[in-house]
Amino acid sequence: MTTDIKKYDFKPGLSQEFEIIDIGELYKNFKDTLTTTHRTGFYHILWFQKGNPTHLVDFNPVKIKPNTLLFLNKDTVQRFDNKTKFEAKAFIFTDSFFCKTETDTKFLRNNILFNDLFSVSQIQIENNKKLFAVLLQQMTNELQNVRDNSQADILKNLLHNFLLYSEREKRKQNFVEIKKDANLDYVMLFKDLLEINYKTQKQVNYYAKEMLISEKRLNHATSKIFGKTPKEIIDDRIMLEAKRILAHTNESVKEICFYLGFEEPTNFIKYFKKHSTIRPTEFREKNTLA
């Protein structure tokens, strides 16, 4: 595909794969980039400090209030507001920056902020903004220091604390905790595998075999956590990507069909209509954002 949704990787040459950015400053030179649909290969924490913009995350318009923290996992498709004035900071970082140990990887992978299974993850910090402001200032100060052998660990530990305080706040704000058990472990592994393979592997038995469990056991896990079968979750992921490309690019239905692993455009059109009741071209006409 030639005009797929633009993806940005972490810019090379920085001393750490961690950065704090003033969005207002970024708007001065890159407003068109920010307000065009894009995805990034790194994590975002967006602190909207002033204003009431609407941040588009996939097809979810997120209404923002002042002092909202928004947490976006890597590869999330997003678009900043191009009409409303606001002030915001962005904390961006990569797996390689944060995940120094298996414990770090597990923390990030299972973190309720970046892995809210039911909605776009956000919290209000109006009552605790001083605490978060102190952590922000500490990280900003450390980034301005000359890099030495301690800097990466200091920044990572400060970010870890920021995330821990954020988790605490999220649990206070009507968050429904999912019981941490084998079902959740299987679901998270299934989602990881699906994210890698959904274009080429659309059958439940493939994922069950990769996970070394039966299809019945996988079905039990997804039904408990999501109230959906594994096949429904696979279909949801394929449809999400199809809708993303239809709405945000000018790719033809034929190109999208082959990109998503369908052998014939007719098969893709039937599949799309089955899961959305309308044809791909009709969806594009109603939702075009390219």
Side-chain angles (χ1 to χ4, degrees), residues 11-269:
K11 63 184 181 184
L14 295 178
S15 58
Q16 311 287 350
E17 288 192 348
F18 172 72
E19 194 172 7
I20 298 173
I21 301 168
D22 185 291
I23 297 298
E25 289 298 314
L26 208 58
Y27 257 58
K28 291 179 181 178
N29 297 312
F30 301 103
K31 183 177 179 179
D32 289 346
T33 299
L34 292 172
T35 58
T36 300
T37 304
H38 61 281
R39 70 175 104 207
T40 57
F42 44 86
Y43 300 87
H44 277 66
I45 304 171
L46 299 174
W47 183 347
F48 293 93
Q49 296 165 313
K50 294 182 181 180
N52 298 94
T54 297
H55 197 72
L56 191 68
V57 183
D58 281 321
F59 297 94
N60 300 304
V62 182
K63 303 291 185 181
I64 301 295
K65 296 178 181 179
N67 286 307
T68 292
L69 291 179
L70 195 64
F71 299 85
L72 302 178
N73 211 329
K74 56 187 178 181
D75 294 326
T76 299
V77 173
Q78 63 175 317
R79 188 180 69 189
F80 284 81
D81 198 321
N82 64 351
K83 297 177 182 177
T84 307
K85 289 185 177 180
F86 64 94
E87 294 180 15
K89 299 283 188 182
F91 306 64
I92 59 175
F93 62 97
T94 63
D95 281 307
S96 61
F97 168 78
F98 191 87
C99 299
K100 307 301 184 185
T101 67
E102 287 186 16
T103 302
D104 295 335
T105 302
K106 187 174 182 180
F107 172 81
L108 206 54
R109 180 173 171 271
N110 296 322
N111 189 281
I112 62 174
L113 302 167
F114 294 108
N115 299 284
D116 189 330
L117 299 176
F118 302 105
S119 64
V120 179
S121 186
Q122 61 175 310
I123 59 173
Q124 281 286 309
I125 59 167
E126 184 66 37
N127 296 332
N128 280 308
K129 61 182 180 183
K130 288 184 178 178
L131 169 65
F132 288 94
V134 168
L135 287 167
L136 167 61
Q137 191 59 56
Q138 288 176 331
M139 287 185 277
T140 302
N141 291 344
E142 185 57 41
L143 280 168
Q144 292 172 351
N145 289 337
V146 176
R147 183 182 181 182
D148 59 20
N149 293 335
S150 301
Q151 188 180 63
D153 288 336
I154 291 171
L155 287 169
K156 183 254 181 183
N157 289 336
L158 288 169
L159 176 60
H160 192 187
N161 286 341
F162 194 99
L163 293 173
L164 289 171
Y165 282 117
S166 298
E167 276 195 322
R168 176 185 284 174
E169 285 301 311
K170 188 167 178 64
R171 287 190 168 91
K172 294 177 183 177
Q173 298 178 20
N174 300 318
F175 176 71
V176 179
E177 188 84 47
I178 299 173
K179 182 180 178 182
K180 292 185 178 180
D181 59 11
N183 290 324
L184 181 58
D185 289 341
Y186 284 138
V187 161
M188 297 303 291
L189 178 56
F190 173 52
K191 282 176 65 67
D192 288 346
L193 287 170
L194 180 60
E195 193 61 31
I196 297 168
N197 298 288
Y198 70 90
K199 296 188 192 78
T200 56
Q201 302 293 340
K202 298 175 173 58
Q203 300 303 314
V204 176
N205 65 349
Y206 169 82
Y207 296 96
K209 286 179 180 177
E210 287 293 305
M211 295 168 64
L212 303 177
I213 60 174
S214 67
E215 291 182 49
K216 183 178 179 180
R217 181 67 185 90
L218 179 55
N219 184 77
H220 177 77
T222 61
S223 297
K224 278 283 187 180
I225 301 297
F226 289 121
K228 292 184 177 184
T229 67
K231 185 64 172 69
E232 288 173 326
I233 295 170
I234 294 169
D235 290 336
D236 285 349
R237 183 64 186 90
I238 295 167
M239 286 296 293
L240 172 60
E241 200 65 23
K243 289 176 179 178
R244 283 172 169 174
I245 300 169
L246 285 164
H248 302 308
T249 80
N250 295 313
E251 295 294 340
S252 68
V253 170
K254 182 178 180 180
E255 288 171 314
I256 297 169
C257 150
F258 294 135
Y259 177 73
L260 293 176
F262 291 86
E263 293 183 359
E264 296 291 340
T266 52
N267 295 343
F268 171 64
I269 292 168

